[in-house]
Amino acid sequence: YSWRDYGNRVGVFRLADLFAELKLPVSLLVNTDMYEHAPQAVAAFPGAEIVGHGRSNSERQGDLTEYKELKLIEETTAAIEKHSGARPRGWLGPWISQSHVTPDLLHETGYSYLLDWCHDDQPIWMKTRAGRILSVPYPQELNDIPQIVARKREGAEFADTIEDAFDVLHVESARRPLVIGIALHAYIVGQPHRFKHLKRALNHIVRRADERVWFTTSGAIAAHAAAL
């Protein structure tokens, strides 16, 4: 989907307005080709944490040699720093694809956390060949691509899933801290018939939040966990 696609372009601004209205912080997963083809999409989320997401989703790290993967990470990092003014601290691989050395390369190029390993509801330290890197939970279930595109569940069911997951984890969080992430793509949930239900789900979360709920970014979660 290109920036010229109407559903994608308008959906970006719908999401940006909703997050601003609810005062919800955002981690923005950026393919750096966006800076060339659709800088307006990135600029629509001022103050968002920028997370490295490769050059484009047309390539997968798991298919690259170590040298080419290192170049991908270095070029992505340099482009984000150039356009945003800050080096990214977190990474999600294009297509959530990793090689056997991805955590090693990310740690060695200055990344403090990654989002590719969807294996727990809490941050977990991973060993690398030169230290450790934090794995921060990233959602595969609360994610509009698996739910809506792959499973054909549509907006109302996706919103119900978000609400139900929050309610269960909110109760469980009285015993231990947990992370709930929601992965959204403008060309999917930005469509009017789905956006209506997303807005309902996020308002549900905001209304039910108490002192145990921290609305924050993946980078802030990583920094907090690293300081414990």
Side-chain angles (χ1 to χ4, degrees):
Y1 286 82
S2 74
W3 175 247
R4 296 175 182 86
D5 175 72
Y6 177 78
N8 194 19
R9 181 162 50 86
V10 176
V12 164
F13 295 112
R14 282 199 184 101
L15 292 180
D17 288 346
L18 177 59
F19 294 139
E21 174 189 336
L22 297 179
K23 297 181 173 58
L24 294 176
V26 175
S27 294
L28 208 58
L29 313 181
V30 174
N31 296 135
T32 54
D33 280 0
M34 292 290 289
Y35 288 118
E36 178 181 354
H37 299 292
Q40 307 98 318
V42 183
F45 300 88
E49 177 200 10
I50 305 298
V51 177
H53 194 36
R55 293 173 295 218
S56 81
N57 269 27
S58 298
E59 54 190 349
R60 301 171 186 254
Q61 288 173 252
D63 297 333
L64 303 177
T65 65
E66 181 172 343
Y67 174 79
K68 288 184 177 179
E69 184 178 6
L70 175 60
K71 290 301 178 185
L72 181 151
I73 294 171
E74 289 177 338
E75 290 177 12
T76 299
T77 306
I80 291 175
E81 185 172 18
K82 173 185 175 182
H83 290 280
S84 74
R87 287 178 66 87
R89 305 297 297 169
W91 182 273
L92 178 75
W95 289 101
I96 316 182
S97 174
Q98 287 203 352
S99 73
H100 291 294
V101 296
T102 300
D104 304 311
L105 295 176
L106 289 173
H107 178 265
E108 290 161 13
T109 50
Y111 283 84
S112 59
Y113 77 92
L114 49 78
L115 294 164
D116 300 85
W117 293 76
C118 312
H119 57 181
D120 207 294
D121 291 326
Q122 293 183 319
I124 291 175
W125 288 107
M126 299 178 67
K127 295 179 181 178
T128 76
R129 61 194 178 191
R132 64 181 188 169
I133 191 168
L134 195 66
S135 173
V136 174
Y138 177 80
Q140 281 293 353
E141 292 296 320
L142 302 188
N143 187 321
D144 55 8
I145 288 182
Q147 291 287 358
I148 295 174
V149 176
R151 299 173 189 168
K152 315 300 182 188
R153 296 193 67 192
E154 272 306 339
E157 285 186 283
F158 182 50
D160 289 343
T161 303
I162 294 171
E163 292 183 16
D164 291 344
F166 173 81
D167 290 345
V168 170
L169 292 177
H170 187 223
V171 171
E172 292 181 355
S173 70
R175 300 192 302 273
R176 59 188 181 275
L178 299 169
V179 174
I180 177 172
I182 304 170
L184 305 173
H185 300 79
Y187 73 93
I188 301 175
V189 290
Q191 299 289 344
H193 65 288
R194 298 181 184 126
F195 179 78
K196 167 186 174 179
H197 299 290
L198 173 68
K199 186 173 183 178
R200 179 247 299 174
L202 296 185
N203 272 284
H204 171 89
I205 291 174
V206 170
R207 285 195 306 268
R208 294 201 172 201
D210 57 18
E211 69 279 357
R212 293 205 312 273
V213 177
W214 179 28
F215 294 111
T216 190
T217 62
S218 53
I221 292 170
H224 174 74
L228 294 176

